[in-house]
PDB file of all heavy atoms in Angstrom:
ATOM      1  N   ASN J  13     -16.461 -14.778   3.854  1.00 98.00           N
ATOM      2  CA  ASN J  13     -16.291 -16.105   3.429  1.00 98.00           C
ATOM      3  C   ASN J  13     -15.081 -16.836   4.154  1.00 98.00           C
ATOM      4  O   ASN J  13     -15.207 -17.933   4.652  1.00 98.00           O
ATOM      5  CB  ASN J  13     -16.215 -16.374   2.003  1.00 98.00           C
ATOM      6  CG  ASN J  13     -17.457 -15.865   1.351  1.00 98.00           C
ATOM      7  OD1 ASN J  13     -18.503 -15.628   1.866  1.00 98.00           O
ATOM      8  ND2 ASN J  13     -17.370 -15.596   0.018  1.00 98.00           N
ATOM      9  N   VAL J  14     -13.906 -16.093   4.085  1.00 98.00           N
ATOM     10  CA  VAL J  14     -12.690 -16.737   4.663  1.00 98.00           C
ATOM     11  C   VAL J  14     -12.462 -18.118   4.200  1.00 98.00           C
ATOM     12  O   VAL J  14     -12.413 -18.997   5.061  1.00 98.00           O
ATOM     13  CB  VAL J  14     -12.682 -16.551   6.276  1.00 98.00           C
ATOM     14  CG1 VAL J  14     -11.198 -16.714   6.740  1.00 98.00           C
ATOM     15  CG2 VAL J  14     -13.292 -15.244   6.622  1.00 98.00           C
ATOM     16  N   ALA J  15     -12.370 -18.271   2.910  1.00 98.00           N
ATOM     17  CA  ALA J  15     -12.260 -19.583   2.281  1.00 98.00           C
ATOM     18  C   ALA J  15     -13.441 -20.520   2.433  1.00 98.00           C
ATOM     19  O   ALA J  15     -14.455 -20.301   1.618  1.00 98.00           O
ATOM     20  CB  ALA J  15     -10.881 -20.292   2.703  1.00 98.00           C
ATOM     21  N   CYS J  16     -13.567 -21.265   3.478  1.00 98.00           N
ATOM     22  CA  CYS J  16     -14.585 -22.390   3.483  1.00 98.00           C
ATOM     23  C   CYS J  16     -15.937 -21.795   4.010  1.00 98.00           C
ATOM     24  O   CYS J  16     -16.926 -22.584   3.929  1.00 98.00           O
ATOM     25  CB  CYS J  16     -14.131 -23.468   4.347  1.00 98.00           C
ATOM     26  SG  CYS J  16     -13.427 -22.954   5.983  1.00 98.00           S
ATOM     27  N   GLY J  17     -15.996 -20.634   4.548  1.00 98.00           N
ATOM     28  CA  GLY J  17     -17.345 -20.241   5.218  1.00 98.00           C
ATOM     29  C   GLY J  17     -18.138 -19.366   4.409  1.00 98.00           C
ATOM     30  O   GLY J  17     -18.506 -18.162   4.863  1.00 98.00           O
ATOM     31  N   PHE J  18     -18.626 -19.759   3.273  1.00 98.00           N
ATOM     32  CA  PHE J  18     -19.487 -18.852   2.429  1.00 98.00           C
ATOM     33  C   PHE J  18     -20.654 -18.308   3.185  1.00 98.00           C
ATOM     34  O   PHE J  18     -21.461 -19.180   3.692  1.00 98.00           O
ATOM     35  CB  PHE J  18     -19.931 -19.658   1.193  1.00 98.00           C
ATOM     36  CG  PHE J  18     -20.811 -18.860   0.266  1.00 98.00           C
ATOM     37  CD1 PHE J  18     -20.280 -17.808  -0.496  1.00 98.00           C
ATOM     38  CD2 PHE J  18     -22.127 -19.215   0.126  1.00 98.00           C
ATOM     39  CE1 PHE J  18     -21.138 -17.072  -1.357  1.00 98.00           C
ATOM     40  CE2 PHE J  18     -23.014 -18.484  -0.716  1.00 98.00           C
ATOM     41  CZ  PHE J  18     -22.461 -17.402  -1.399  1.00 98.00           C
ATOM     42  N   LEU J 190     -23.062 -19.206  -9.037  1.00 96.00           N
ATOM     43  CA  LEU J 190     -22.936 -20.317  -8.087  1.00 96.00           C
ATOM     44  C   LEU J 190     -24.107 -21.315  -8.323  1.00 96.00           C
ATOM     45  O   LEU J 190     -25.117 -21.012  -8.710  1.00 96.00           O
ATOM     46  CB  LEU J 190     -22.979 -19.761  -6.646  1.00 96.00           C
ATOM     47  CG  LEU J 190     -21.895 -18.823  -6.316  1.00 96.00           C
ATOM     48  CD1 LEU J 190     -22.122 -18.352  -4.850  1.00 96.00           C
ATOM     49  CD2 LEU J 190     -20.512 -19.396  -6.497  1.00 96.00           C
ATOM     50  N   ARG J 191     -23.719 -22.644  -8.081  1.00 93.00           N
ATOM     51  CA  ARG J 191     -24.810 -23.674  -8.156  1.00 93.00           C
ATOM     52  C   ARG J 191     -25.662 -23.673  -6.851  1.00 93.00           C
ATOM     53  O   ARG J 191     -25.120 -23.449  -5.799  1.00 93.00           O
ATOM     54  CB  ARG J 191     -24.115 -25.001  -8.352  1.00 93.00           C
ATOM     55  CG  ARG J 191     -23.358 -25.086  -9.598  1.00 93.00           C
ATOM     56  CD  ARG J 191     -23.062 -26.519  -9.980  1.00 93.00           C
ATOM     57  NE  ARG J 191     -22.131 -26.421 -11.017  1.00 93.00           N
ATOM     58  CZ  ARG J 191     -20.755 -26.464 -11.024  1.00 93.00           C
ATOM     59  NH1 ARG J 191     -20.297 -26.818  -9.858  1.00 93.00           N
ATOM     60  NH2 ARG J 191     -20.098 -26.375 -12.135  1.00 93.00           N
ATOM     61  N   GLU J 193     -27.064 -26.422  -5.750  1.00 96.00           N
ATOM     62  CA  GLU J 193     -26.945 -27.761  -5.008  1.00 96.00           C
ATOM     63  C   GLU J 193     -25.465 -27.952  -4.739  1.00 96.00           C
ATOM     64  O   GLU J 193     -24.637 -27.615  -5.516  1.00 96.00           O
ATOM     65  CB  GLU J 193     -27.474 -28.858  -5.849  1.00 96.00           C
ATOM     66  CG  GLU J 193     -28.969 -29.096  -5.709  1.00 96.00           C
ATOM     67  CD  GLU J 193     -29.754 -28.143  -6.557  1.00 96.00           C
ATOM     68  OE1 GLU J 193     -29.289 -27.864  -7.756  1.00 96.00           O
ATOM     69  OE2 GLU J 193     -30.798 -27.596  -6.088  1.00 96.00           O
ATOM     70  N   VAL J 194     -25.301 -28.731  -3.658  1.00 97.00           N
ATOM     71  CA  VAL J 194     -23.849 -29.131  -3.260  1.00 97.00           C
ATOM     72  C   VAL J 194     -23.944 -30.649  -3.081  1.00 97.00           C
ATOM     73  O   VAL J 194     -24.825 -31.200  -2.601  1.00 97.00           O
ATOM     74  CB  VAL J 194     -23.492 -28.468  -1.917  1.00 97.00           C
ATOM     75  CG1 VAL J 194     -22.233 -28.990  -1.347  1.00 97.00           C
ATOM     76  CG2 VAL J 194     -23.466 -26.911  -2.122  1.00 97.00           C
ATOM     77  N   SER J 195     -22.919 -31.291  -3.552  1.00 98.00           N
ATOM     78  CA  SER J 195     -22.841 -32.679  -3.461  1.00 98.00           C
ATOM     79  C   SER J 195     -22.555 -33.091  -2.032  1.00 98.00           C
ATOM     80  O   SER J 195     -21.910 -32.265  -1.248  1.00 98.00           O
ATOM     81  CB  SER J 195     -21.755 -33.371  -4.388  1.00 98.00           C
ATOM     82  OG  SER J 195     -20.490 -33.007  -3.869  1.00 98.00           O
ATOM     83  N   LEU J 196     -22.922 -34.270  -1.593  1.00 98.00           N
ATOM     84  CA  LEU J 196     -22.688 -34.694  -0.206  1.00 98.00           C
ATOM     85  C   LEU J 196     -21.208 -34.767  -0.001  1.00 98.00           C
ATOM     86  O   LEU J 196     -20.733 -34.311   1.159  1.00 98.00           O
ATOM     87  CB  LEU J 196     -23.312 -36.120   0.032  1.00 98.00           C
ATOM     88  CG  LEU J 196     -23.276 -36.606   1.485  1.00 98.00           C
ATOM     89  CD1 LEU J 196     -23.928 -35.680   2.447  1.00 98.00           C
ATOM     90  CD2 LEU J 196     -23.860 -38.039   1.514  1.00 98.00           C
ATOM     91  N   LYS J 197     -20.362 -35.228  -0.878  1.00 98.00           N
ATOM     92  CA  LYS J 197     -18.923 -35.277  -0.785  1.00 98.00           C
ATOM     93  C   LYS J 197     -18.394 -33.900  -0.454  1.00 98.00           C
ATOM     94  O   LYS J 197     -17.582 -33.739   0.403  1.00 98.00           O
ATOM     95  CB  LYS J 197     -18.403 -35.845  -2.143  1.00 98.00           C
ATOM     96  CG  LYS J 197     -16.909 -36.018  -2.143  1.00 98.00           C
ATOM     97  CD  LYS J 197     -16.501 -36.868  -3.370  1.00 98.00           C
ATOM     98  CE  LYS J 197     -15.099 -36.663  -3.742  1.00 98.00           C
ATOM     99  NZ  LYS J 197     -14.790 -35.642  -4.623  1.00 98.00           N
ATOM    100  N   ASN J 198     -18.810 -32.912  -1.272  1.00 98.00           N
ATOM    101  CA  ASN J 198     -18.312 -31.500  -1.037  1.00 98.00           C
ATOM    102  C   ASN J 198     -18.759 -30.958   0.253  1.00 98.00           C
ATOM    103  O   ASN J 198     -18.084 -30.228   0.934  1.00 98.00           O
ATOM    104  CB  ASN J 198     -18.652 -30.591  -2.139  1.00 98.00           C
ATOM    105  CG  ASN J 198     -17.779 -30.782  -3.361  1.00 98.00           C
ATOM    106  OD1 ASN J 198     -16.693 -31.431  -3.270  1.00 98.00           O
ATOM    107  ND2 ASN J 198     -18.175 -30.147  -4.494  1.00 98.00           N
ATOM    108  N   ALA J 199     -20.015 -31.256   0.661  1.00 98.00           N
ATOM    109  CA  ALA J 199     -20.554 -30.769   1.893  1.00 98.00           C
ATOM    110  C   ALA J 199     -19.769 -31.324   3.058  1.00 98.00           C
ATOM    111  O   ALA J 199     -19.376 -30.588   4.042  1.00 98.00           O
ATOM    112  CB  ALA J 199     -21.998 -31.173   2.111  1.00 98.00           C
ATOM    113  N   ILE J 200     -19.336 -32.585   3.016  1.00 98.00           N
ATOM    114  CA  ILE J 200     -18.543 -33.198   4.042  1.00 98.00           C
ATOM    115  C   ILE J 200     -17.158 -32.525   4.154  1.00 98.00           C
ATOM    116  O   ILE J 200     -16.718 -32.076   5.223  1.00 98.00           O
ATOM    117  CB  ILE J 200     -18.383 -34.669   3.804  1.00 98.00           C
ATOM    118  CG1 ILE J 200     -19.753 -35.361   4.018  1.00 98.00           C
ATOM    119  CG2 ILE J 200     -17.300 -35.341   4.711  1.00 98.00           C
ATOM    120  CD1 ILE J 200     -19.837 -36.895   3.475  1.00 98.00           C
ATOM    121  N   SER J 201     -16.510 -32.288   3.014  1.00 98.00           N
ATOM    122  CA  SER J 201     -15.216 -31.616   3.001  1.00 98.00           C
ATOM    123  C   SER J 201     -15.337 -30.224   3.628  1.00 98.00           C
ATOM    124  O   SER J 201     -14.527 -29.770   4.447  1.00 98.00           O
ATOM    125  CB  SER J 201     -14.690 -31.413   1.601  1.00 98.00           C
ATOM    126  OG  SER J 201     -14.408 -32.559   0.919  1.00 98.00           O
ATOM    127  N   GLN J 202     -16.411 -29.492   3.216  1.00 98.00           N
ATOM    128  CA  GLN J 202     -16.568 -28.122   3.626  1.00 98.00           C
ATOM    129  C   GLN J 202     -16.782 -28.013   5.123  1.00 98.00           C
ATOM    130  O   GLN J 202     -16.229 -27.236   5.794  1.00 98.00           O
ATOM    131  CB  GLN J 202     -17.676 -27.361   2.794  1.00 98.00           C
ATOM    132  CG  GLN J 202     -17.565 -25.978   2.784  1.00 98.00           C
ATOM    133  CD  GLN J 202     -16.658 -25.376   1.658  1.00 98.00           C
ATOM    134  OE1 GLN J 202     -16.039 -26.156   0.985  1.00 98.00           O
ATOM    135  NE2 GLN J 202     -16.618 -24.065   1.477  1.00 98.00           N
ATOM    136  N   MET J 203     -17.720 -28.947   5.676  1.00 98.00           N
ATOM    137  CA  MET J 203     -17.972 -28.919   7.057  1.00 98.00           C
ATOM    138  C   MET J 203     -16.700 -29.209   7.838  1.00 98.00           C
ATOM    139  O   MET J 203     -16.447 -28.653   8.920  1.00 98.00           O
ATOM    140  CB  MET J 203     -19.045 -30.000   7.389  1.00 98.00           C
ATOM    141  CG  MET J 203     -20.396 -29.508   6.935  1.00 98.00           C
ATOM    142  SD  MET J 203     -21.753 -30.545   7.472  1.00 98.00           S
ATOM    143  CE  MET J 203     -21.553 -32.063   6.536  1.00 98.00           C
ATOM    144  N   GLY J 204     -15.864 -30.126   7.396  1.00 98.00           N
ATOM    145  CA  GLY J 204     -14.662 -30.453   8.094  1.00 98.00           C
ATOM    146  C   GLY J 204     -13.768 -29.168   8.182  1.00 98.00           C
ATOM    147  O   GLY J 204     -13.168 -28.927   9.206  1.00 98.00           O
ATOM    148  N   ASN J 205     -13.689 -28.598   7.005  1.00 98.00           N
ATOM    149  CA  ASN J 205     -12.778 -27.372   7.028  1.00 98.00           C
ATOM    150  C   ASN J 205     -13.353 -26.179   7.880  1.00 98.00           C
ATOM    151  O   ASN J 205     -12.586 -25.522   8.498  1.00 98.00           O
ATOM    152  CB  ASN J 205     -12.653 -26.880   5.527  1.00 98.00           C
ATOM    153  CG  ASN J 205     -11.660 -27.787   4.829  1.00 98.00           C
ATOM    154  OD1 ASN J 205     -10.705 -28.328   5.407  1.00 98.00           O
ATOM    155  ND2 ASN J 205     -12.001 -28.097   3.497  1.00 98.00           N
ATOM    156  N   VAL J 206     -14.640 -25.988   7.888  1.00 98.00           N
ATOM    157  CA  VAL J 206     -15.297 -25.002   8.740  1.00 98.00           C
ATOM    158  C   VAL J 206     -15.027 -25.286  10.205  1.00 98.00           C
ATOM    159  O   VAL J 206     -14.491 -24.390  10.970  1.00 98.00           O
ATOM    160  CB  VAL J 206     -16.756 -24.894   8.500  1.00 98.00           C
ATOM    161  CG1 VAL J 206     -17.492 -24.142   9.609  1.00 98.00           C
ATOM    162  CG2 VAL J 206     -17.127 -24.220   7.132  1.00 98.00           C
ATOM    163  N   ARG J 223      -4.456 -25.982   6.987  1.00 98.00           N
ATOM    164  CA  ARG J 223      -5.124 -27.212   6.358  1.00 98.00           C
ATOM    165  C   ARG J 223      -6.594 -26.953   6.093  1.00 98.00           C
ATOM    166  O   ARG J 223      -7.203 -27.557   5.170  1.00 98.00           O
ATOM    167  CB  ARG J 223      -5.014 -28.481   7.238  1.00 98.00           C
ATOM    168  CG  ARG J 223      -3.621 -28.981   7.486  1.00 98.00           C
ATOM    169  CD  ARG J 223      -3.658 -30.472   7.914  1.00 98.00           C
ATOM    170  NE  ARG J 223      -4.328 -30.635   9.221  1.00 98.00           N
ATOM    171  CZ  ARG J 223      -3.876 -30.472  10.376  1.00 98.00           C
ATOM    172  NH1 ARG J 223      -2.631 -29.865  10.540  1.00 98.00           N
ATOM    173  NH2 ARG J 223      -4.541 -30.622  11.474  1.00 98.00           N
ATOM    174  N   SER J 224      -7.148 -26.038   6.916  1.00 98.00           N
ATOM    175  CA  SER J 224      -8.605 -25.730   6.881  1.00 98.00           C
ATOM    176  C   SER J 224      -9.001 -24.669   5.876  1.00 98.00           C
ATOM    177  O   SER J 224     -10.188 -24.464   5.557  1.00 98.00           O
ATOM    178  CB  SER J 224      -9.143 -25.438   8.258  1.00 98.00           C
ATOM    179  OG  SER J 224      -8.845 -26.431   9.099  1.00 98.00           O
ATOM    180  N   MET J 225      -8.045 -23.882   5.367  1.00 98.00           N
ATOM    181  CA  MET J 225      -8.368 -22.808   4.506  1.00 98.00           C
ATOM    182  C   MET J 225      -8.610 -23.279   3.063  1.00 98.00           C
ATOM    183  O   MET J 225      -7.808 -22.941   2.083  1.00 98.00           O
ATOM    184  CB  MET J 225      -7.251 -21.771   4.544  1.00 98.00           C
ATOM    185  CG  MET J 225      -7.355 -20.892   5.795  1.00 98.00           C
ATOM    186  SD  MET J 225      -6.141 -19.540   5.825  1.00 98.00           S
ATOM    187  CE  MET J 225      -6.689 -18.508   4.602  1.00 98.00           C
ATOM    188  N   VAL J 226      -9.614 -24.137   2.883  1.00 98.00           N
ATOM    189  CA  VAL J 226      -9.852 -24.829   1.604  1.00 98.00           C
ATOM    190  C   VAL J 226     -11.370 -24.743   1.349  1.00 98.00           C
ATOM    191  O   VAL J 226     -12.140 -24.874   2.250  1.00 98.00           O
ATOM    192  CB  VAL J 226      -9.466 -26.274   1.731  1.00 98.00           C
ATOM    193  CG1 VAL J 226      -9.787 -26.919   0.369  1.00 98.00           C
ATOM    194  CG2 VAL J 226      -8.016 -26.463   2.024  1.00 98.00           C
ATOM    195  N   ASP J 227     -11.697 -24.226   0.211  1.00 98.00           N
ATOM    196  CA  ASP J 227     -13.069 -24.133  -0.252  1.00 98.00           C
ATOM    197  C   ASP J 227     -13.300 -24.855  -1.437  1.00 98.00           C
ATOM    198  O   ASP J 227     -12.782 -24.537  -2.501  1.00 98.00           O
ATOM    199  CB  ASP J 227     -13.339 -22.540  -0.514  1.00 98.00           C
ATOM    200  CG  ASP J 227     -14.749 -22.345  -1.086  1.00 98.00           C
ATOM    201  OD1 ASP J 227     -15.600 -23.216  -1.050  1.00 98.00           O
ATOM    202  OD2 ASP J 227     -14.989 -21.150  -1.498  1.00 98.00           O
ATOM    203  N   VAL J 228     -14.043 -25.925  -1.279  1.00 98.00           N
ATOM    204  CA  VAL J 228     -14.376 -26.854  -2.533  1.00 98.00           C
ATOM    205  C   VAL J 228     -15.712 -26.487  -3.157  1.00 98.00           C
ATOM    206  O   VAL J 228     -16.039 -27.099  -4.131  1.00 98.00           O
ATOM    207  CB  VAL J 228     -14.314 -28.293  -2.077  1.00 98.00           C
ATOM    208  CG1 VAL J 228     -13.012 -28.709  -1.595  1.00 98.00           C
ATOM    209  CG2 VAL J 228     -15.492 -28.719  -1.075  1.00 98.00           C
ATOM    210  N   ILE J 229     -16.427 -25.540  -2.661  1.00 98.00           N
ATOM    211  CA  ILE J 229     -17.769 -25.212  -3.176  1.00 98.00           C
ATOM    212  C   ILE J 229     -17.860 -23.920  -4.037  1.00 98.00           C
ATOM    213  O   ILE J 229     -18.193 -23.948  -5.207  1.00 98.00           O
ATOM    214  CB  ILE J 229     -18.878 -25.130  -2.068  1.00 98.00           C
ATOM    215  CG1 ILE J 229     -18.922 -26.455  -1.335  1.00 98.00           C
ATOM    216  CG2 ILE J 229     -20.208 -24.715  -2.591  1.00 98.00           C
ATOM    217  CD1 ILE J 229     -19.806 -26.539  -0.171  1.00 98.00           C
ATOM    218  N   VAL J 230     -17.268 -22.788  -3.455  1.00 98.00           N
ATOM    219  CA  VAL J 230     -17.491 -21.538  -4.138  1.00 98.00           C
ATOM    220  C   VAL J 230     -16.232 -21.108  -4.925  1.00 98.00           C
ATOM    221  O   VAL J 230     -16.277 -20.703  -6.073  1.00 98.00           O
ATOM    222  CB  VAL J 230     -17.809 -20.451  -3.129  1.00 98.00           C
ATOM    223  CG1 VAL J 230     -17.937 -19.022  -3.768  1.00 98.00           C
ATOM    224  CG2 VAL J 230     -19.177 -20.832  -2.452  1.00 98.00           C
ATOM    225  N   GLU J 231     -15.053 -21.279  -4.349  1.00 98.00           N
ATOM    226  CA  GLU J 231     -13.850 -20.765  -4.954  1.00 98.00           C
ATOM    227  C   GLU J 231     -13.601 -21.365  -6.315  1.00 98.00           C
ATOM    228  O   GLU J 231     -13.269 -20.619  -7.304  1.00 98.00           O
ATOM    229  CB  GLU J 231     -12.649 -21.013  -4.092  1.00 98.00           C
ATOM    230  CG  GLU J 231     -11.323 -20.506  -4.618  1.00 98.00           C
ATOM    231  CD  GLU J 231     -10.144 -20.979  -3.768  1.00 98.00           C
ATOM    232  OE1 GLU J 231     -10.078 -20.489  -2.574  1.00 98.00           O
ATOM    233  OE2 GLU J 231      -9.304 -21.698  -4.248  1.00 98.00           O
ATOM    234  N   PRO J 232     -13.870 -22.750  -6.502  1.00 97.00           N
ATOM    235  CA  PRO J 232     -13.569 -23.271  -7.850  1.00 97.00           C
ATOM    236  C   PRO J 232     -14.405 -22.601  -9.018  1.00 97.00           C
ATOM    237  O   PRO J 232     -13.994 -22.495 -10.109  1.00 97.00           O
ATOM    238  CB  PRO J 232     -13.970 -24.785  -7.777  1.00 97.00           C
ATOM    239  CG  PRO J 232     -13.839 -25.013  -6.329  1.00 97.00           C
ATOM    240  CD  PRO J 232     -14.279 -23.749  -5.596  1.00 97.00           C
ATOM    241  N   ILE J 233     -15.570 -22.130  -8.628  1.00 97.00           N
ATOM    242  CA  ILE J 233     -16.469 -21.507  -9.611  1.00 97.00           C
ATOM    243  C   ILE J 233     -16.025 -19.968  -9.769  1.00 97.00           C
ATOM    244  O   ILE J 233     -15.890 -19.524 -10.957  1.00 97.00           O
ATOM    245  CB  ILE J 233     -17.943 -21.560  -9.133  1.00 97.00           C
ATOM    246  CG1 ILE J 233     -18.302 -23.083  -9.140  1.00 97.00           C
ATOM    247  CG2 ILE J 233     -18.826 -20.822 -10.138  1.00 97.00           C
ATOM    248  CD1 ILE J 233     -19.768 -23.299  -8.555  1.00 97.00           C
ATOM    249  N   ARG J 234     -15.842 -19.371  -8.648  1.00 97.00           N
ATOM    250  CA  ARG J 234     -15.534 -17.877  -8.783  1.00 97.00           C
ATOM    251  C   ARG J 234     -14.184 -17.560  -9.363  1.00 97.00           C
ATOM    252  O   ARG J 234     -13.882 -16.463  -9.835  1.00 97.00           O
ATOM    253  CB  ARG J 234     -15.748 -17.180  -7.495  1.00 97.00           C
ATOM    254  CG  ARG J 234     -17.209 -17.038  -7.266  1.00 97.00           C
ATOM    255  CD  ARG J 234     -17.374 -16.218  -5.947  1.00 97.00           C
ATOM    256  NE  ARG J 234     -18.787 -15.823  -5.691  1.00 97.00           N
ATOM    257  CZ  ARG J 234     -19.277 -15.276  -4.591  1.00 97.00           C
ATOM    258  NH1 ARG J 234     -18.348 -15.163  -3.531  1.00 97.00           N
ATOM    259  NH2 ARG J 234     -20.533 -15.029  -4.427  1.00 97.00           N
ATOM    260  N   LYS J 245      -2.346 -17.210  -6.076  1.00 98.00           N
ATOM    261  CA  LYS J 245      -2.468 -17.988  -4.846  1.00 98.00           C
ATOM    262  C   LYS J 245      -1.153 -18.834  -4.656  1.00 98.00           C
ATOM    263  O   LYS J 245      -0.676 -18.952  -3.508  1.00 98.00           O
ATOM    264  CB  LYS J 245      -3.629 -18.978  -5.148  1.00 98.00           C
ATOM    265  CG  LYS J 245      -3.991 -19.938  -4.000  1.00 98.00           C
ATOM    266  CD  LYS J 245      -5.244 -20.591  -4.135  1.00 98.00           C
ATOM    267  CE  LYS J 245      -5.478 -21.594  -3.134  1.00 98.00           C
ATOM    268  NZ  LYS J 245      -6.847 -22.034  -2.931  1.00 98.00           N
ATOM    269  N   CYS J 256      -4.719 -19.034   1.005  1.00 98.00           N
ATOM    270  CA  CYS J 256      -5.044 -17.878   0.235  1.00 98.00           C
ATOM    271  C   CYS J 256      -6.404 -18.262  -0.496  1.00 98.00           C
ATOM    272  O   CYS J 256      -6.579 -19.364  -1.031  1.00 98.00           O
ATOM    273  CB  CYS J 256      -3.976 -17.724  -0.815  1.00 98.00           C
ATOM    274  SG  CYS J 256      -4.360 -16.391  -2.047  1.00 98.00           S
ATOM    275  N   SER J 257      -7.318 -17.235  -0.538  1.00 98.00           N
ATOM    276  CA  SER J 257      -8.525 -17.464  -1.273  1.00 98.00           C
ATOM    277  C   SER J 257      -9.127 -16.136  -1.708  1.00 98.00           C
ATOM    278  O   SER J 257      -8.416 -15.155  -1.591  1.00 98.00           O
ATOM    279  CB  SER J 257      -9.576 -18.214  -0.331  1.00 98.00           C
ATOM    280  OG  SER J 257     -10.716 -18.568  -0.912  1.00 98.00           O
ATOM    281  N   ILE J 258     -10.388 -16.187  -2.134  1.00 98.00           N
ATOM    282  CA  ILE J 258     -11.051 -15.056  -2.641  1.00 98.00           C
ATOM    283  C   ILE J 258     -11.564 -14.250  -1.483  1.00 98.00           C
ATOM    284  O   ILE J 258     -12.190 -14.842  -0.586  1.00 98.00           O
ATOM    285  CB  ILE J 258     -12.179 -15.332  -3.612  1.00 98.00           C
ATOM    286  CG1 ILE J 258     -11.584 -16.171  -4.780  1.00 98.00           C
ATOM    287  CG2 ILE J 258     -12.817 -14.073  -4.185  1.00 98.00           C
ATOM    288  CD1 ILE J 258     -12.708 -16.754  -5.689  1.00 98.00           C
TER     289      ILE J 258
END
Side-chain angles (χ1 to χ4, degrees):
N13 302 338
V14 200
C16 50
F18 179 69
L190 301 177
R191 296 194 189 100
E193 275 83 38
V194 171
S195 70
L196 184 59
K197 183 170 162 267
N198 280 349
I200 292 167
S201 295
Q202 202 86 352
M203 286 190 287
N205 287 322
V206 163
R223 295 199 299 282
S224 307
M225 283 182 70
V226 179
D227 172 10
V228 297
I229 295 175
V230 174
E231 184 185 293
I233 298 172
R234 284 185 171 169
K245 180 167 174 163
C256 174
S257 186
I258 303 169

